[in-house]
Amino acid sequence: MSLNNIILDGHKLEWHAERVRAWIRGERIAPITIDCSLTTRCSYRCAYCYGKLQRINMDEHLSTEVIFNFLDDAAEIGVKAVSFVSDGESTCNPNLYDAIKRGYENGLDMALGTNGYLLGDDQLEEILPALTYIRFNISAGEPGRYSEIHGCKADCFYKVCNTVKKAVEIKKARGLDVTVGTQMVLLPEYKDQILPLTGLSKELGVDYFVIKHCSDDEDSTLGVDYAEYIDLTDILKEAEAQSDENFIVRAKWSKILSEGKRKYRQCYGPPFIIQLSGSGLVAPCGMFFNDKYSRYHIGNIKEKRFKDIWKSERYWEVMSFLSSPGFDANTDCGTLCLQHKVNEYLWDIKNGIIGMPECDSCKERPMHINFI
């Protein structure tokens, strides 16, 4: 498996030209990608967690019936990929393993983002063949700092490392196409962990290690100083220099160096990629899960089938408002959101800065094509 065409800092809408053109024509399109969680619970208390800003019930689970109905509906309406990553740690829901297999059997590309602590090593054999990628969220390469940053015991570090190593072993032994990666959420005060975590990721044998920014809300509740990221350029380049033909290190430069600023005002991305809470809430993105953003809440898959929510006038009223002059992404929501790169691309198309994509297959297909 060549890693040359993996996109870790960008988007893949250029390979979905048909759906982009349908959206331009004003058609009601199905999302290409849905990010969701199966619970609002989490086994960690990470210092940078956006979920703690949501002030929602942090002890909710989705049942097997609700999850299966959602995955069946997603496949029926034309969703192409579902990633279990959102406001909760999906391994806290015992239905996770069956959910991955159900989505895969439905023809959906499936992915999992996890801290890995509760992930059953004995279940890796059954879920890895059904996953397009599995990403372990690890923001420190040393047990002491890992404990501080993730709000857990230092022993968790060793368990997670063993689980990552086990996933890599299974992938290689069975010749699976799944990519196994690690991800660091970088705050400037974590710079001492960039190189240790790079070395650890390489030692564990993962395919890639990605270093990303930390999102903050419009009130800067987490206190992220985006200007400080500029000073980390040299050490991030040093980390990227550890890449070789079997291991890629990538910093998300376009966001890390953006100083948290946007060039677009309207939010065009949600029709293509939306986010569901582990509570079942359907919203344009995770930044709107908090009750104070109820004007953007569309429905709940615990109460109504997802395909019916998608068809509803409420769904399209919210999508329409986000793309209208009445909404300004620079003031009305948090920084560097899920749809940021997609929004930049669609903004440029809408404003004639770039032309429409020509076709879905005019260029070499990137990996994970349906996770836009």
Side-chain angles (χ1 to χ4, degrees), residues 10-14 16 20 23 32-33 255 263-264 266-274 337-350 354 371-372:
H11 68 89
K12 308 180 191 80
L13 265 191
E14 292 175 78
H16 297 277
V20 174
W23 174 76
I32 298 168
T33 308
K255 292 186 177 181
K263 69 176 183 180
Y264 54 87
Q266 280 71 59
C267 182
Y268 297 131
F272 297 90
I273 175 171
I274 63 168
C337 63
L338 173 71
Q339 294 100 343
H340 179 67
K341 298 304 296 183
V342 168
N343 273 330
E344 287 185 331
Y345 178 70
L346 295 172
W347 175 264
D348 285 349
I349 289 177
K350 276 281 195 176
I354 60 174
F371 297 92
I372 62 169

Side-chain angles (χ1 to χ4, degrees), residues 122-283:
D122 52 343
Q123 271 109 7
L124 287 171
E125 289 276 3
E126 59 178 298
I127 65 169
L128 286 176
L131 291 172
T132 299
Y133 72 81
I134 182 169
R135 187 190 70 221
F136 292 90
N137 301 315
I138 303 175
S139 293
E142 298 168 333
R145 289 288 275 145
Y146 184 92
S147 175
E148 294 171 15
I149 293 169
H150 288 294
C152 63
K153 295 180 180 179
D155 288 349
C156 297
F157 174 82
Y158 300 104
K159 189 280 174 186
V160 171
C161 287
N162 286 333
T163 297
V164 176
K165 189 180 299 183
K166 178 72 171 177
V168 171
E169 290 173 355
I170 293 171
K171 170 202 161 99
K172 291 181 177 179
R174 297 182 58 179
L176 301 175
D177 289 332
V178 60
T179 53
V180 181
T182 52
Q183 175 177 272
M184 178 185 198
V185 177
L186 176 63
L187 284 169
E189 54 264 38
Y190 302 163
K191 64 182 179 181
D192 63 301
Q193 291 304 298
I194 295 173
L195 295 180
L197 188 48
T198 302
L200 175 64
S201 297
K202 192 167 190 175
E203 178 185 336
L204 293 174
V206 300
D207 298 304
Y208 68 85
F209 169 47
V210 63
I211 305 166
K212 63 167 292 195
H213 65 292
C214 178
S215 295
D216 207 343
D217 66 9
E218 67 270 34
D219 299 319
S220 299
T221 303
L222 295 177
V224 184
D225 186 345
Y226 291 101
E228 291 185 8
Y229 280 120
I230 308 299
D231 295 332
L232 304 181
T233 299
D234 289 343
I235 193 170
L236 288 171
K237 288 183 176 179
E238 185 178 350
E240 288 190 329
Q242 300 300 311
S243 301
D244 58 36
E245 61 181 9
N246 298 311
F247 174 62
I248 290 179
V249 183
R250 287 287 183 272
K252 291 197 172 187
W253 291 110
S254 66
K255 292 186 177 181
I256 288 173
L257 300 182
S258 72
E259 298 186 9
K261 299 175 182 176
R262 293 177 166 97
K263 69 176 183 180
Y264 54 87
R265 292 186 298 277
Q266 280 71 59
C267 182
Y268 297 131
F272 297 90
I273 175 171
I274 63 168
Q275 202 161 12
L276 273 62
S277 167
S279 68
L281 174 67
V282 179

